[in-house]
Amino acid sequence: QPKRSLRASKQTVRYETQPGKQLQHDWGQIRTDLAGESRMVHFAVNVLGSSRCLHVWAAPREDAEHTYEALVGAFHHFGGVPRQVLVDNQKAAVVRHDRDGTVHFNAGFLDLAHHYGFQPKACRPQRPRTKGKTERMVGYVKQNFFQRYRHFESYGHLNRLLEEWLTTVANQRVLRQYQATPAQRWEQEKSALQALPATDFDTRYYDQRHVSWDAYIDVRGNRYSVPAEYC
């Protein structure tokens, strides 16, 4: 006990951000019934740091294109763009951290940041509590939405139910520290968000493929025929 006060504290201090300053992004996974089969579903969770307003979008993979599409959808859902987007160290956004603290971001993620005018920021390695707001919401989505709904016809059906749940449940929950809902606080935050650009960022896949001798290309394990002159 005499030495306890000398030990470094492991407590985490809640970090608050100004309206419009930051969005926290993360992915979660859960196994559920999709189109009659048990599948691993990935869902992107985006939280505005000030209002705690939430956006969730489900996809089959956590790759770069789906990460960018999730963020574009969140910007439209919130009606604007925050000045900073805080991400985990997934390869879709972060290539590596140097020992001096320099972060090297994925070129596509930098293009997305430039298009929407936000500053990219990455968590320190092995320190997920840096983005504790969205970490907590990943668990909330699993324990609330995926307990209410257990069967989905398709990703389109799943995302429609998510939109309805966000409007009627998730963003209507009362935040004890503020005695207000995220939807109410978003009304105050949306004026601080940056305006959306005239066009959306292109999130389509672009890949180069070699044509085989039998005039087929291979894309994600599927073979597709092309004109013979491309052999």
Side-chain angles (χ1 to χ4, degrees):
Q1 186 174 1
K3 299 294 184 183
R4 191 171 296 158
S5 61
L6 303 178
R7 184 187 304 164
S9 174
K10 293 185 179 181
Q11 293 180 348
T12 300
V13 178
R14 184 187 296 273
Y15 177 70
E16 296 293 344
T17 55
Q18 295 299 315
K21 180 181 179 182
Q22 188 183 84
L23 177 145
Q24 296 187 4
H25 166 85
D26 199 10
W27 282 93
Q29 308 87 30
I30 192 168
R31 185 165 289 280
T32 189
D33 187 296
L34 184 69
E37 297 181 9
S38 177
R39 298 186 186 180
M40 184 63 73
V41 169
H42 304 266
F43 57 94
V45 178
N46 299 290
V47 183
L48 286 177
S50 178
S51 65
R52 308 298 201 274
C53 200
L54 177 66
H55 179 259
V56 186
W57 182 75
R61 289 178 294 276
E62 299 180 17
D63 56 11
E65 286 78 7
H66 285 97
T67 296
Y68 307 157
E69 190 173 353
L71 286 168
V72 171
F75 297 153
H76 281 281
H77 181 81
F78 297 136
V81 182
R83 296 189 297 276
Q84 183 184 89
V85 173
L86 177 65
V87 297
D88 204 345
N89 292 292
Q90 67 261 38
K91 293 299 182 184
V94 179
V95 176
R96 71 179 188 275
H97 288 257
D98 288 344
R99 292 185 178 181
D100 61 1
T102 303
V103 182
H104 297 269
F105 289 99
N106 184 301
F109 188 65
L110 289 176
D111 289 341
L112 178 76
H114 177 74
H115 186 87
Y116 286 96
F118 66 80
Q119 174 199 2
K121 184 177 180 181
C123 295
R124 283 167 48 191
Q126 300 179 348
R127 190 179 171 87
R129 63 180 179 272
T130 305
K131 53 178 180 52
K133 298 180 182 72
T134 187
E135 286 277 341
R136 185 164 178 263
M137 286 298 100
V138 169
Y140 175 72
V141 173
K142 289 181 179 180
Q143 296 159 17
N144 194 300
F145 176 81
F146 284 104
Q147 295 303 315
R148 289 171 180 252
Y149 305 99
R150 297 174 180 269
H151 306 282
F152 309 98
E153 297 173 3
S154 63
Y155 277 102
H157 180 225
L158 168 54
N159 282 314
R160 286 194 298 273
L161 289 176
L162 273 170
E163 283 288 341
E164 179 183 344
W165 174 77
L166 288 169
T167 303
T168 59
V169 179
N171 288 325
Q172 298 299 329
R173 70 192 191 279
V174 177
L175 304 170
R176 287 177 297 176
Q177 66 268 39
Y178 304 115
Q179 289 302 301
T181 67
Q184 291 170 334
R185 290 178 56 79
W186 170 76
E187 290 292 339
Q188 304 168 7
E189 184 171 19
K190 65 180 180 180
S191 61
L193 296 172
Q194 302 175 100
L196 288 163
T199 58
D200 282 335
F201 185 76
D202 188 355
T203 60
R204 290 176 295 180
Y205 285 92
Y206 287 92
D207 287 315
Q208 291 186 343
R209 289 290 181 267
H210 289 286
V211 181
S212 61
W213 63 270
D214 55 355
Y216 276 83
I217 59 172
D218 183 85
V219 181
R220 300 186 184 278
N222 297 311
R223 300 184 78 233
Y224 299 94
S225 62
V226 298
E229 55 267 24
Y230 289 113
C231 288

